[in-house]
Amino acid sequence: MSDSDFKLTDTQRDHLTAALDRIIPASDRHGLPGAGELGIADFVEELLRANPAQQLGLLPALATFSELIDRCGGVDPAFEQIQEKEPGFVPTLVFHAYSGYYQHPKVMEALGIEPRPPHPQGYEMEPFDPSILDKVRSRGTIYREV
Amino acid sequence: MTDDTVDVLIIGAGASGAAFAWSMADTKMNILCLEQGDWVKSDDYPGIGHDWETRQFGDFGLSPNQRGRSEDYPVNDSESPIHASMFNAVGGSTVLYAAHFPRLHPSDFRVRTLDGVADDWPIEYRDLEPYYDLNARMMGVSGMAGDPAYPPKELPLPPLPLGKLGSTLASGFDKLGWHWWPSDSAIISEDYEGRAACINAGTCLLGCPQGAKGSTDVTYWPLAERAGVRLKTRCRVREITVRDDGMADGVIYYDGEGVEHHQKAEIVVMACNGIGTPRILLNSKSKHFPDGLANRSGLVGKRLMFHPYGLVRGIFPEPLEGYKGATGCCIISQEFYESEPSRGFLRGYSFEMLRGMGPVFTAISGMGSGHIPFGSDHHDGYASLWDRTAGMVIICEDLPEEHNCITLDPDLVDSNGIPAPKVNYRLSENSTRMLEHGVARGQEVLAAAGAVDFMTEAPLGVAGWHLMGTARMGEEPETSVVNEWGRSHDVRNLFIIDGSIFPTSGGVNPTNTIQALSLYIADTIKKNLANLFD
Ligand SMILES: Cc1cc2nc3c(=O)[nH]c(=O)nc-3n(C[C@H](O)[C@H](O)[C@H](O)COP(=O)(O)OP(=O)(O)OC[C@H]3O[C@@H](n4cnc5c(N)ncnc54)[C@H](O)[C@@H]3O)c2cc1C
Ligand code: SF4
């Protein structure tokens, strides 16, 4: 049962975005944005909307993360501490971050693939060339006669 | 509600039910199939959306427990290292299967005679050979004649492309002088019988929106329905009912609205797979059959075989274009298929090559294997894996053991309140040694092909997709559930046609054999119609 009214608050969104950027940071060398910067918080929000049961796992830990940011005076120390205080939070977020990030058209393009689903265009491939089997054929049959 | 009596009632519209229904249609009998799932429409498949990979963690998951749709029944597999994987819809598990379509070897039918273990089959390779050929034409099988691991066989379509990944792996086998061959695949490499050819999109394990993969909803079912077979979806069978004389007289099922029906039939045919069939038989208790229907041998649900799988992936220095091409259908190697006791185990295994992973799977599996950390090293880790993995699964012959079994769970039920199956399964010593051998040889061949690092998993926990042995065939009523043509020894108008009836498992994917057997059983029934119940 989806929860169509669910929406992250501004604070939740900001802090989630900050955590996502710690998980997948931007890289100039690879020409890739950070996961937060790319808007993967929207992907997580949509996921929590479609699967309200997952809100229970994520939102209380996100609230603890927010408290830690206020208390420690910054995202970096809070991100260190949340891994001790709420050991499930970062692994869950890593899974969601990887899922959302690597299906994003911008990331697909940076990986060198067309930013589209596999169907209906598919991919071109060279047809099978039977000459590649010459070596295997030369060994003769290998099954047991009965 | 009591429905009109039909001549033949098939339960389950998957691989076996479809082939059997099509074959029986020419008798012009009144044939009905009840299926708990629905038709899957082309645009329901994940492959047309950006989120296609993540849907394997949701509504297109391999495990019915994960999907949790009302048409799925839960399976308690907490006491098995290998977890049940199946799909419940028209087409059954062929909706999700990889469509790797090998045959058994002639030696697989003579396991006891040749190797002194398990049992011989009551039929031989040559009995099934014409039905393998027929099934290849009906399902649309691509492949290459001349495989040295098999007696000669003809296939209607040329092989699927190997691509850079396939050729790279083939070079490793050639370097070691090991057998390999392009896979027999129930995927059409060219337009065939009104179906459009495979476009190498690689989403096969989440269903094929193109209709190129031979799931039975696009192969047998349209023909069977046109020939007059009726298929009713969203109908879940609870139990088979029996007359006073101990013969089956039909089934009790729930329709999509939950209304209970009694469907009467002259012949009942079970095609619910190696878990679903024993489940319903065990749930069909009566005064004649207090331990479950057709279970006087006590073997219903016992001798479950899965094919323990191992997974070996190599990491290569170069991109392989591995996201292109049918996921599971590339190359097979049967270098270690036939028994060789000096290896430390009996019987053998196949290697089947896998394509690479899509962008999301690359990340998730790299997370699991520790190759892709989060944080500052993330992108370097990802770049080392993306489009650089290729590997194989190891499919081990599973020998039948009575403690590996399906029973009814005392607590768990499906959405109609029918008891769910429970799986108890332990990996045998023989399987463990076979897996170790396969993982080591797999790494050897990947290294020969150029791999510089490896990721391995054995047994592969998700790989409970080959379900066999739980109502075995045989000549003796004391030691088998059905005879050599699928007829129950105890109930002469009850037939079983799915993987449950395999006496042994071989070391290849079973569906081609399941369907060849169901076509063989249908033909035998047709030949014996005059004295079917004698
Ligand atoms: C992910 C995956 C990959 C696979 N890859 C391969 C492969 O490459 N090659 C290969 O050979 N095999 C493969 N398989 C296995 C293959 O799909 C099965 O061997 C084959 O589908 C079994 O056929 P069947 O007729 O026995 O059962 P199924 O095809 O599973 O069909 C059984 C049907 O019965 C229905 N049913 C069950 N109980 C009831 C009930 N009580 N009332 C009404 N209907 C019921 C189910 O809904 C289902 O539709 C794979 C399977 C999976 C899940
Ligand atoms: S690779 Fe071919 S068979 Fe597989 S999903 Fe794509 S079109 Fe279908």
Side-chain angles (χ1 to χ4, degrees), chain B residues 89-102:
Chain B
V90 177
S93 305
T94 65
V95 169
L96 293 190
Y97 82 155
H100 219 290
F101 226 55

Side-chain angles (χ1 to χ4, degrees), chain B residues 250-528:
Chain B
V251 301
I252 293 175
Y253 75 92
Y254 299 102
D255 67 19
E257 267 69 59
V259 177
E260 187 179 311
H261 296 248
H262 190 186
Q263 174 64 59
K264 299 259 190 174
E266 303 293 342
I267 298 173
V268 176
V269 181
M270 291 302 289
C272 295
N273 80 33
I275 289 182
T277 287
R279 173 202 187 202
I280 296 305
L281 294 177
L282 292 172
N283 201 44
S284 304
K285 293 194 172 93
S286 60
K287 70 173 191 299
H288 289 290
F289 297 99
D291 300 322
L293 192 62
N295 194 21
R296 292 200 179 118
S297 65
L299 286 174
V300 170
K302 303 252 175 78
R303 296 166 58 107
L304 170 70
M305 296 173 283
F306 270 135
H307 284 148
Y309 264 60
L311 171 70
V312 187
R313 280 190 202 277
I315 303 174
F316 289 76
E318 294 287 324
L320 296 164
E321 299 190 347
Y323 56 89
K324 298 181 178 177
T327 322
C329 292
C330 181
I331 287 175
I332 188 168
S333 166
Q334 297 194 319
E335 182 65 27
F336 304 105
Y337 193 85
E338 303 283 4
S339 243
E340 172 47 68
S342 68
R343 294 185 192 130
F345 54 86
L346 284 171
R347 310 296 300 157
Y349 61 86
S350 302
F351 284 128
E352 286 175 0
M353 305 312 125
L354 300 173
R355 304 282 175 180
M357 296 176 277
V360 173
F361 279 145
T362 301
I364 306 272
S365 78
M367 172 176 88
S369 69
H371 286 84
I372 305 186
F374 67 84
S376 55
D377 294 332
H378 175 79
H379 294 289
D380 286 341
Y382 191 87
S384 73
L385 280 199
W386 163 242
D387 199 22
R388 283 169 167 74
T389 63
M392 59 189 65
V393 286
I394 303 149
I395 306 182
C396 295
E397 170 151 359
D398 205 356
L399 291 170
E401 297 178 290
E402 286 197 15
H403 58 255
N404 291 334
C405 63
I406 303 297
T407 52
L408 294 180
D409 192 278
D411 305 313
L412 194 65
V413 293
D414 67 20
S415 57
N416 293 107
I418 305 170
K422 176 165 197 285
V423 181
N424 281 81
Y425 181 91
R426 288 200 305 271
L427 202 63
S428 72
E429 192 50 40
N430 196 59
S431 297
T432 305
R433 284 201 294 268
M434 208 184 304
L435 278 172
E436 280 167 8
H437 187 273
V439 169
R441 296 294 92 74
Q443 294 186 47
E444 202 176 326
V445 74
L446 289 175
V452 291
D453 196 3
F454 306 97
M455 299 150 86
T456 65
E457 188 179 343
L460 188 61
V462 296
W465 36 52
H466 297 165
L467 310 170
M468 299 160 290
T470 46
R472 67 156 294 200
M473 62 185 342
E475 278 152 10
E476 307 301 329
E478 296 76 29
T479 55
S480 56
V481 178
V482 297
N483 72 4
E484 66 279 14
W485 45 290
R487 191 181 70 181
S488 156
H489 291 299
D490 303 343
V491 186
R492 285 169 173 248
N493 63 345
L494 172 70
F495 290 81
I496 305 177
I497 60 166
D498 56 46
S500 311
I501 65 179
F502 281 29
T504 58
S505 69
V508 290
N509 323 57
T511 309
N512 198 3
T513 304
I514 290 175
Q515 291 184 302
L517 258 177
S518 60
L519 294 169
Y520 166 79
I521 293 170
D523 258 11
T524 314
I525 290 176
K526 287 188 265 183
K527 281 183 203 137
N528 289 292

Side-chain angles (χ1 to χ4, degrees), chain B residues 61-143:
Chain B
L62 304 179
S63 157
N65 300 335
Q66 181 188 15
R67 291 190 303 268
R69 308 168 312 160
S70 62
E71 60 267 49
D72 292 315
Y73 56 90
V75 179
N76 179 351
D77 52 15
S78 58
E79 291 188 36
S80 169
I82 299 174
H83 302 294
S85 167
M86 63 173 79
F87 203 68
N88 300 308
V90 177
S93 305
T94 65
V95 169
L96 293 190
Y97 82 155
H100 219 290
F101 226 55
R103 302 176 178 196
L104 287 176
H105 286 212
S107 58
D108 289 324
F109 296 81
R110 289 286 166 270
V111 177
R112 161 70 57 184
T113 305
L114 293 172
D115 294 323
V117 284
D119 304 280
D120 288 347
W121 287 48
I123 56 172
E124 297 183 32
Y125 181 85
R126 67 166 162 265
D127 296 318
L128 285 193
E129 201 168 20
Y131 299 96
Y132 278 132
D133 292 343
L134 172 60
N135 199 41
R137 294 194 295 276
M138 295 302 298
M139 294 289 279
V141 176
S142 302

Side-chain angles (χ1 to χ4, degrees), chain A residues 15 17 20 29 38 40 44 47 65 69 110-112 116 141:
Chain A
H15 292 162
T17 298
L20 289 166
R29 192 157 53 83
L38 194 62
I40 300 305
V44 177
L47 194 120
F65 184 49
I69 291 174
L111 295 177
R116 58 164 173 89
T141 58

Side-chain angles (χ1 to χ4, degrees), chain A residues 92-136:
Chain A
T92 307
L93 217 50
V94 168
F95 183 82
H96 297 325
Y98 286 13
S99 301
Y101 189 80
Y102 286 104
Q103 60 179 268
H104 197 287
K106 273 199 181 142
V107 176
M108 291 171 76
E109 265 181 317
L111 295 177
I113 50 174
E114 294 165 62
R116 58 164 173 89
H119 287 270
Q121 286 102 318
Y123 301 107
E124 284 293 323
M125 291 176 86
E126 291 290 315
F128 183 80
D129 171 8
S131 68
I132 191 175
L133 289 167
D134 291 349
K135 182 157 184 190
V136 194

Side-chain angles (χ1 to χ4, degrees), chain A residues 95, chain B residues 46 51-63 66-67 85 96 202-207 327 361 462 465:
Chain A
F95 183 82
Chain B
D51 61 350
W52 68 278
E53 289 186 276
T54 43
R55 284 181 67 188
Q56 190 158 331
F57 307 113
D59 61 340
F60 269 79
L62 304 179
S63 157
Q66 181 188 15
R67 291 190 303 268
S85 167
L96 293 190
T203 68
C204 323
L205 290 182
L206 294 126
T327 322
F361 279 145
V462 296
W465 36 52

